[in-house]
Amino acid sequence: SAVQVEPLANAVDTADADADSANLVSNNVLNIGVPSNTPWGPATKQLPIQVMARSTCYKTGSIINTNAMFFIGAVEFTGDYVANYHPQEGDSGAVWFTQGACPQAVAELFATTNGTNFALAGPINHILSGLGVSMDGRACTAAVNPDTNDQLASQLPVAETPGDTANREHAEATVDLYSGDYVKVVPGIWGMGAGWDNSGHPEIDLWATSITPQIKASVPSTLNGVPVVVFVSGAPRFLR
């Protein structure tokens, strides 16, 4: 079921179920362990993640877009995350966790892109609040990497500086301001999100099935002072 946040936009696509017996379920996630009972907050700068899913088994990656806005067919999603790994059918519902000794839930997978290496997920806090449930886990918080220039080497969440946070939030606000001018308005553009370049500087990422002359003519080099990059990717689709 989708958690509705606006009349025509969704934050997540999720479902819940009740087990007939407590013996049928466990909070010990295979290859990950017992997670924290406190979910991670908003995804921070290039957040490393791990996931255990039915079809792809154990995967790692990092979140490359926050506050992503995209359409799957006629269904609009806002405020979601994009990560750089390719899930398979059967993986829908898998939870992304932070890496390290205390995995904290970050998001729940529900979609991928056709033919390309990207996964789409809804923030776990939206899901928990929408369903009125909480995490079953242990009391701990994820260790963070204090070196803000070392994005992924330790595979720990980066300790975002106040400047990083301000830059990320500015890029996310820019997506809110301008996504309606480009996504499904300029033919071929199916999504938009706040991302980072290879040096960790914020950028606005537009996702398109191909780079056409119309896209070249319509997309500026910056929006709201943030550089804009167009990525070519197959259109998104729901996972089962």
Side-chain angles (χ1 to χ4, degrees):
S1 59
V3 177
Q4 198 80 15
V5 294
E6 294 179 21
L8 297 176
N10 299 287
V12 298
D13 182 76
T14 189
D16 63 348
D18 293 323
D20 291 334
S21 169
N23 295 329
L24 298 175
V25 295
S26 170
N27 63 3
N28 193 338
V29 182
L30 186 64
N31 294 322
I32 292 177
V34 178
S36 171
N37 58 13
T38 303
W40 187 260
T44 47
K45 186 177 179 180
Q46 296 170 320
L47 181 67
I49 58 165
Q50 58 181 334
V51 59
M52 182 66 196
R54 192 191 79 175
S55 298
T56 56
C57 195
Y58 181 76
K59 290 282 188 180
T60 60
S62 61
I63 292 178
I64 59 173
N65 276 159
T66 61
N67 198 35
M69 180 272 188
F70 52 88
F71 281 83
I72 301 180
V75 182
E76 179 184 356
F77 289 90
T78 61
D80 289 326
Y81 300 149
V82 181
N84 58 354
Y85 78 97
H86 197 179
Q88 298 176 9
E89 291 298 333
D91 287 351
S92 183
V95 175
W96 297 354
F97 294 95
T98 57
Q99 297 187 33
C102 177
Q104 288 183 265
V106 178
E108 182 185 343
L109 173 71
F110 67 90
T112 187
T113 51
N114 287 317
T116 46
N117 192 40
F118 301 109
L120 312 174
I124 198 69
N125 287 316
H126 289 176
I127 294 167
L128 296 176
S129 62
L131 296 177
V133 297
S134 60
M135 291 294 299
D136 179 17
R138 55 197 171 99
C140 67
T141 54
V144 297
N145 177 8
D147 183 356
T148 58
N149 295 314
D150 179 15
Q151 302 304 322
L152 300 175
S154 71
Q155 300 306 309
L156 293 176
V158 169
E160 222 179 33
T161 68
D164 287 335
T165 301
N167 287 337
R168 173 175 54 78
E169 291 177 347
H170 177 70
E172 291 172 345
T174 300
V175 172
D176 290 335
L177 284 172
Y178 291 99
S179 58
D181 295 337
Y182 296 96
V183 180
K184 292 209 82 172
V185 174
V186 178
I189 295 179
W190 59 259
M192 185 178 192
W196 300 268
D197 64 18
N198 291 333
S199 298
H201 300 125
E203 65 184 27
I204 300 300
D205 295 336
L206 285 168
W207 300 88
T209 52
S210 63
I211 299 180
T212 64
Q214 185 174 359
I215 289 176
K216 290 181 179 180
S218 302
V219 175
S221 59
T222 63
L223 284 170
N224 208 20
V226 185
V228 176
V229 178
V230 179
F231 287 92
V232 175
S233 168
R237 60 180 174 84
F238 290 113
L239 287 166
R240 295 190 296 274

